[in-house]
């Protein structure tokens, strides 16, 4: 068996000798719908059954020779949408956290060979709150030689998100990360908080971006563009003192940055 991840890394794929492969979401939000596919090439043979398992337990079977063709086996909270499930796929509605796990598709050809292939893939069920990471910077402007310090905290989730930093679109790694539990319940949620320090070595704008992701599938990001710190004489001479010369730092989360420019001008 070989594992590989399709370009977008949205699905896990396993291939066996007879081109049997399974596609399940690598990660899915709790409460959403999971579409699981099982593809195969029967060549000259006839299909006997397709069986779906979560762990060791069968929860769905497709048997073209029987009527109805489909059979659902009650298993924990699995909610099979029979109308959408069949020879090549099974659809699970309202996925719950305990459906996180390994799924198998078992395809059997009819007599005389009863040739059977099994393929498996893992689905993570993620509990997450909507929202973007919160990005905080120590200052809104920097000059060469200064140290930029920033914190970023992900929206609460379980499992906790990974944080990746980008400065001027260059990946800066994960920073120094710690996790903070935020909701105490049967499934606690965690915020990932990451801090970085960056030596400002050149002049010009600095774009700081913080990306929060879960299994590289579910994610969001927040970005702040910092203007270069340069002499602001021109702006002082302008009548209202708050136009172009006063640098506006902005972010997708407008509350994050506190502008201290006016104070500096006094
Ligand atoms: C980042 O978080 C640490 C720990 O909570 C805090 O001491 C520091 O002031 C924060 N820095 C910024 C830039 O918000
Ligand atoms: C976070 O990153 C680590 C290392 O790449 C990875 O093993 C882990 O699965 C990731 N966690 C999530 C929730 O994406």
């Amino acid at each position: 068996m070989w594992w590989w991840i399709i370009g977008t890394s949205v699905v896990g794929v396993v291939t066996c000798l007879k081109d049997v492969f399974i596609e399940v979401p690598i990660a899915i939000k709790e409460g959403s719908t999971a579409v699981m596919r099982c593809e195969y090439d029967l060549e000259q043979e006839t299909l006997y059954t397709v069986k779906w398992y979560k762990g060791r337990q069968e929860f769905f079977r497709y048997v073209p020779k029987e009527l109805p063709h489909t059979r659902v086996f009650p298993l924990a909270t699995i909610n099979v949408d029979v109308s959408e499930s069949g020879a090549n796929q099974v659809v699970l509605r309202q996925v719950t956290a305990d459906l996180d796990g390994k799924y198998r598709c078992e395809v059997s050809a009819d007599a005389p060979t009863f040739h059977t292939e099994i393929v498996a893939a893992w689905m993570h069920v993620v509990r997450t709150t909507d929202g973007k990471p919160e990005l905080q910077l120590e200052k809104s402007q920097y000059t060469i030689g200064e140290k930029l310090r920033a914190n970023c905290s992900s929206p609460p989730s379980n499992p906790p998100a990974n944080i990746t930093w980008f400065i001027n679109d260059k990946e800066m790694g994960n920073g120094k990360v710690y996790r903070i539990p935020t909701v105490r319940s049967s499934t606690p949620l965690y915020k990932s908080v990451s801090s970085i320090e960056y030596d400002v070595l050149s002049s010009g704008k600095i774009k700081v971006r913080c990306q929060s992701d879960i299994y590289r599938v579910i994610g969001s990001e927040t970005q702040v563009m910092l203007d270069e710190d340069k002499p602001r004489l021109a702006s002082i001479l302008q009548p209202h003192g708050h136009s172009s010369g006063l640098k506006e730092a902005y972010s997708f989360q407008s509350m994050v940055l506190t502008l201290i420019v006016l104070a500096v001008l006094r």
Side-chain angles (χ1 to χ4, degrees):
M1 272 184 202
W2 296 270
W3 278 88
W4 76 80
I5 290 174
I6 282 182
T8 55
S9 61
V10 171
V11 289
V13 178
V14 174
T15 305
C16 271
L17 299 173
K18 283 193 69 183
D19 295 341
V20 183
F21 69 90
I22 184 171
E23 276 185 25
V24 311
I26 285 179
I28 188 171
K29 283 189 189 179
E30 189 181 37
S32 56
T33 296
V35 178
M36 302 183 166
R37 304 267 319 158
C38 186
E39 305 281 355
Y40 41 87
D41 184 357
L42 284 164
E43 298 195 316
Q44 306 306 316
E45 296 191 287
T46 312
L47 181 66
Y48 176 50
T49 57
V50 179
K51 296 176 179 176
W52 284 88
Y53 297 84
K54 155 102 180 13
R56 302 170 141 265
Q57 290 194 278
E58 186 180 358
F59 63 92
F60 179 76
R61 187 183 295 184
Y62 177 80
V63 192
K65 276 187 180 169
E66 288 179 4
L67 274 175
H69 300 324
T70 55
R71 225 192 285 175
V72 174
F73 304 91
L75 168 59
T77 55
I78 286 193
N79 176 4
V80 176
D81 184 339
V82 181
S83 69
E84 297 284 321
S85 304
N88 290 102
Q89 76 175 21
V90 57
V91 173
L92 309 184
R93 301 279 180 204
Q94 293 288 319
V95 169
T96 55
D98 58 335
L99 296 188
D100 187 290
K102 193 176 179 183
Y103 288 80
R104 284 190 294 149
C105 164
E106 183 188 299
V107 182
S108 300
D110 209 343
T113 67
F114 291 110
H115 189 176
T116 298
E117 295 281 352
I118 302 174
V119 285
W122 200 279
M123 179 173 81
H124 293 283
V125 180
V126 172
R127 182 175 285 193
T128 180
T129 49
D130 290 326
K132 286 171 179 281
E134 264 176 50
L135 180 52
Q136 284 175 312
L137 285 105
E138 199 178 36
K139 305 201 304 167
S140 57
Q141 288 179 321
Y142 290 88
T143 47
I144 296 180
E146 287 185 311
K147 223 179 239 312
L148 180 156
R149 290 191 184 86
N151 287 344
C152 181
S153 64
S154 68
S157 65
N158 191 330
N162 279 333
I163 286 177
T164 311
W165 288 95
F166 295 85
I167 291 187
N168 294 333
D169 294 321
K170 184 167 176 278
E171 191 180 329
M172 305 300 293
N174 306 114
K176 212 173 126 220
V177 186
Y178 51 103
R179 320 273 196 213
I180 305 176
T182 58
V183 178
R184 300 206 179 272
S185 66
S186 54
T187 317
L189 301 181
Y190 300 89
K191 266 188 185 191
S192 294
V193 182
S194 169
S195 45
I196 52 157
E197 287 191 356
Y198 170 78
D199 292 314
V200 178
L201 296 176
S202 57
S203 59
K205 295 185 174 193
I206 307 174
K207 185 160 91 180
V208 181
R209 182 153 54 98
C210 158
Q211 201 177 68
S212 151
D213 84 272
I214 302 170
Y215 302 118
R216 300 193 176 274
V217 176
I218 298 164
S220 54
E221 61 179 33
T222 297
Q223 171 178 301
V224 174
M225 185 73 87
L226 300 175
D227 270 342
E228 179 176 4
D229 195 9
K230 46 187 181 203
R232 282 183 231 96
L233 192 59
S235 68
I236 292 168
L237 298 176
Q238 283 167 5
H240 299 293
H242 64 275
S243 52
S244 62
L246 283 184
K247 298 305 179 187
E248 275 181 316
Y250 60 88
S251 75
F252 294 139
Q253 292 199 312
S254 54
M255 298 175 346
V256 173
L257 277 182
T258 312
L259 288 185
I260 51 166
V261 176
L262 282 176
V264 170
L265 282 175
R266 298 198 168 196

